[in-house]
């Protein structure tokens, strides 16, 4: 890989479940394709990337192809949700590292949020995570994940997004 901020640089190093489904559809067995890709060194889980590659991908997403960037973002967020039972044990190196890209993401990162009926990328300071249905009373937007799924600590630790706190 030559340029860590180019979205296309990440396609051959990590492949999502939906990509495996698409590539295998009508051509070969999905599990055989997955085993072959793993043998070739391709990651099948975004959380398996080292910290610089993971945060480099997050930094590249907002500047990438709109549809593809949104699709990858949603898959990445689902990966965080689906792996929440193991994040502290298995993937804490992502957010406990001294990664230059993680520090850059904390300063300049953008995440996919719900804005009305659409999704768009906003700075992490304008995003929040909530595991419940909330009203947006400020100029902040909920990260684009299924409602009532995921752990707030995971999104705070990995994506540097503050959880929504209800003020009384």
């Amino acid at each position: 890989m030559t340029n860590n901020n180019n979205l296309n640089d990440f396609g051959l190093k990590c492949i999502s479940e939906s990509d495996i489904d698409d590539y295998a559809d009508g051509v070969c067995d999905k599990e055989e394709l997955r085993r072959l890709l793993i043998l070739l060194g391709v990651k099948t889980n975004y959380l398996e990337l080292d910290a610089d590659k993971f945060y480099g991908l997050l930094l590249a997403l907002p500047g990438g192809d709109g549809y593809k960037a949104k699709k990858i973002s949603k898959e990445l967020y689902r990966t965080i949700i689906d792996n929440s039972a193991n994040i502290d044990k298995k993937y804490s190196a992502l957010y406990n590292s001294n990664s230059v890209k993680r520090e850059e993401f904390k300063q300049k990162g953008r995440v996919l949020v719900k804005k009305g009926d659409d999704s768009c990328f906003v700075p992490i300071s304008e995003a929040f995570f909530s595991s419940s249905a909330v009203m947006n009373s400020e100029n902040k937007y909920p990260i684009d994940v299924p409602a009532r799924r995921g752990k707030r600590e995971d999104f705070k630790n990995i994506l540097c997004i503050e959880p929504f706190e209800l003020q009384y």
Side-chain angles (χ1 to χ4, degrees), residues 75-92:
E75 288 173 350
L76 196 147
Y77 303 158
R78 265 194 309 276
T79 300
I80 293 171
I81 291 169
D82 293 345
N83 288 279
S84 66
N86 297 319
I87 284 189
D88 287 339
K89 298 174 199 128
K90 210 170 168 185
Y91 303 113
S92 64

Side-chain angles (χ1 to χ4, degrees), residues 10 17 19 22 27 30-31 34 37 45-46 50 57 59 72 74 87 89 99 103 108 112 152 154 156:
F10 296 93
E17 283 299 312
D19 288 332
D22 290 346
V27 177
K30 178 180 165 181
E31 290 308 312
R34 180 191 328 282
L37 291 169
N45 178 333
Y46 292 110
D50 70 43
L57 173 60
L59 286 164
I72 291 171
K74 289 177 182 183
I87 284 189
K89 298 174 199 128
S99 165
E103 290 305 312
K108 300 177 186 175
L112 187 66
R152 53 198 286 152
D154 296 340
K156 182 175 182 174

Side-chain angles (χ1 to χ4, degrees), residues 124 127-130 140 152 155-156 159-165:
I124 58 175
F128 69 85
F129 173 78
S130 177
K140 289 194 167 199
R152 53 198 286 152
F155 284 88
K156 182 175 182 174
L159 297 178
C160 310
I161 297 173
E162 292 299 321
F164 177 77
E165 299 290 341

Side-chain angles (χ1 to χ4, degrees), residues 134-166:
V134 296
M135 300 237 346
N136 187 8
S137 60
E138 301 174 13
N139 267 344
K140 289 194 167 199
Y141 302 95
I143 189 166
D144 196 351
V145 296
R148 298 180 178 89
R149 294 204 45 217
K151 289 184 352 193
R152 53 198 286 152
E153 299 84 22
D154 296 340
F155 284 88
K156 182 175 182 174
N157 290 337
I158 295 174
L159 297 178
C160 310
I161 297 173
E162 292 299 321
F164 177 77
E165 299 290 341
L166 190 59

Side-chain angles (χ1 to χ4, degrees), residues 12-13 36-43:
L12 296 176
K13 295 294 181 188
L36 174 63
L37 291 169
I38 290 170
L39 283 172
L40 293 172
V42 176
K43 307 290 185 192

Side-chain angles (χ1 to χ4, degrees), residues 5 59 99-109:
N5 287 329
L59 286 164
S99 165
V100 172
K101 290 292 185 185
R102 183 173 196 278
E103 290 305 312
E104 184 179 347
F105 179 75
K106 286 168 65 175
Q107 300 299 315
K108 300 177 186 175

